[in-house]
Amino acid sequence: MDTLPGTADRGSAPQESPVRLTRYAHGGGCACKIPPGELEEAVAGLLGAVPSAEPAGELLVGLDTGDDAAAVRLPGPPGGPAVIATADFFTPVVDDPYHWGRIAAANALSDVYAMGGRPLVAVNLLGWPRGKLPFELAREVLRGGLEVAGRAGCHVGGGHSVDDVEPKYGMAVTGIADPDRLLRNDAGRPGVPLSLTKPLGLGVLNNRHKATGEFFPHAVETMAALNRDAAEAAVAAGVRCATDVTGFGLLGHLYKLARASGVTAVVDAAAVPYLDGAREAVRDGYVSGGTRRNLEWVAPHTDFRAADEHTRLLLADAQTSGGLLVAGEVPGAPVIGELVPAGEHTLVVR
């Protein structure tokens, strides 16, 4: 692991950059994820793989249900913590390098929160086209990541960098959680409400920003906001099922949750919150290919009833650093639907 140095003072203001980082990437943020159907097919043969040597702990959550992070119960006396491990990185979602760093760090930390954990230490993952972009911009990216990790109370202990054709940034994060109070995506039960802790529309606003250069500060601050408080509130309320909403959209992540839990998820489309400008962005055609692939993936398993095309696209919108989708109630978060016994469709949009 090559060490990436610390950055400037966390409290200093971000520097304006004349470089449009989003033009150096084929996609942006979590919309550049490999499509969910292709990814599941690729890893299908790896399910159930076990170490050839005796493992150091018990794997509580792995590949089987496509959860947000891995969880391992540490060996030792009962009552000890579980280790949470995850990694997340992506191409620029906004042009400002400092804001991109903030967003990417919040997104990586979110996987730990989505498991009901607390992040302890992160390492930077940086791909940089050193012949095209100055390292001063990379420094700003790292500064943004360090600021958000510091706000989360998470150490940043270096990282790894490579010379890449596209700029990429994120973090590998290690956290801890109570193994008996994990938030899992396979623990949903009928009769439980569904809550969403951040509004949708990040994907279409980011796509508009990439195409036009328009800046949406409310979208940036939504993406940079930590899911810490929502996760702590969910665990304190006894919730045991949750996931976060990122590149596969609300419907994609809800489909994975409902499928893993053996239930049907019902979404009240009128109750779902959206960011200002999101519907206009869909109307004007700023829809990523990732969003359309998400919708194509879930459509065979969804009863859309009267939902129009724009609503379907927003519900499948590829989010970057979105909120938590919680099977339970979280103070201040709208209830957007419920889990019911398994029916003909895994998802119902009413």
Side-chain angles (χ1 to χ4, degrees):
M1 181 176 75
D2 56 308
T3 298
L4 295 171
T7 57
D9 292 341
R10 299 177 189 173
S12 56
Q15 300 295 311
E16 293 295 329
S17 170
V19 177
R20 292 207 55 204
L21 285 175
T22 55
R23 292 187 173 176
Y24 288 82
H26 74 286
C30 291
C32 66
K33 279 187 172 183
I34 294 173
E38 293 180 22
L39 184 61
E40 289 191 346
E41 183 177 347
V43 304
L46 305 178
L47 297 177
V50 295
S52 56
E54 185 67 25
E58 177 191 359
L59 183 65
L60 300 176
V61 180
L63 275 173
D64 301 56
T65 60
D67 221 318
D68 297 290
V72 175
R73 189 195 303 267
L74 292 176
V83 172
I84 308 296
T86 185
D88 211 311
F89 61 95
F90 46 66
T91 53
V93 68
V94 292
D95 290 323
D96 187 287
Y98 173 77
H99 287 320
W100 174 33
R102 295 172 66 218
I103 293 164
N107 183 73
L109 293 165
S110 181
D111 284 341
V112 174
Y113 293 132
M115 300 295 295
R118 174 187 173 191
L120 292 182
V121 62
V123 290
N124 291 304
L125 305 173
L126 179 69
W128 201 254
R130 50 187 290 273
K132 297 179 180 179
L133 293 172
F135 277 111
E136 288 81 359
L137 297 182
R139 179 182 177 86
E140 284 297 291
V141 175
L142 296 171
R143 185 168 73 88
L146 187 61
E147 186 274 327
V148 167
R151 191 152 40 91
C154 179
H155 297 288
V156 179
H160 186 74
S161 60
V162 295
D163 186 357
D164 202 349
V165 295
E166 287 184 314
K168 299 179 181 72
Y169 175 65
M171 289 178 164
V173 187
T174 301
I176 58 170
D178 183 336
D180 298 319
R181 303 176 76 188
L182 290 175
L183 301 178
R184 307 173 55 124
N185 69 358
D186 62 353
R189 299 294 178 263
V192 177
L194 291 168
S195 301
L196 181 65
T197 67
K198 287 185 185 181
L200 301 184
L202 292 164
V204 289
L205 291 180
N206 289 338
N207 213 37
R208 187 167 203 147
H209 171 69
K210 178 178 172 65
T212 69
E214 294 176 74
F215 182 62
F216 302 99
H218 65 304
V220 168
E221 294 311 313
T222 297
M223 290 185 283
L226 295 172
N227 282 324
R228 175 185 55 202
D229 293 348
E232 290 177 354
V235 172
V239 171
R240 293 294 174 266
C241 180
T243 188
D244 64 350
V245 180
T246 56
F248 301 154
L250 173 67
L251 292 183
H253 290 284
L254 184 55
Y255 170 64
K256 291 176 66 177
L257 183 153
R259 183 182 61 180
S261 297
V263 297
T264 287
V266 180
V267 176
D268 181 358
V272 176
Y274 300 102
L275 289 165
D276 290 345
R279 285 196 174 275
E280 291 80 3
V282 172
R283 179 200 64 200
D284 294 341
Y286 295 104
V287 179
S288 69
T291 291
R292 296 190 185 280
R293 290 189 292 270
N294 290 342
L295 186 55
E296 181 181 356
W297 183 53
V298 300
H301 315 286
T302 306
D303 177 1
F304 280 107
R305 300 194 179 178
D308 61 28
E309 171 113 4
H310 287 180
T311 298
R312 297 182 188 196
L313 287 168
L314 280 169
L315 293 175
D317 189 38
Q319 305 298 280
T320 295
S321 193
L324 296 186
L325 176 61
V326 179
E329 293 196 49
V330 177
V335 172
I336 64 161
E338 62 180 332
L339 300 180
V340 300
E344 180 182 355
H345 294 89
T346 306
L347 300 179
V348 175
V349 178
R350 63 187 181 198

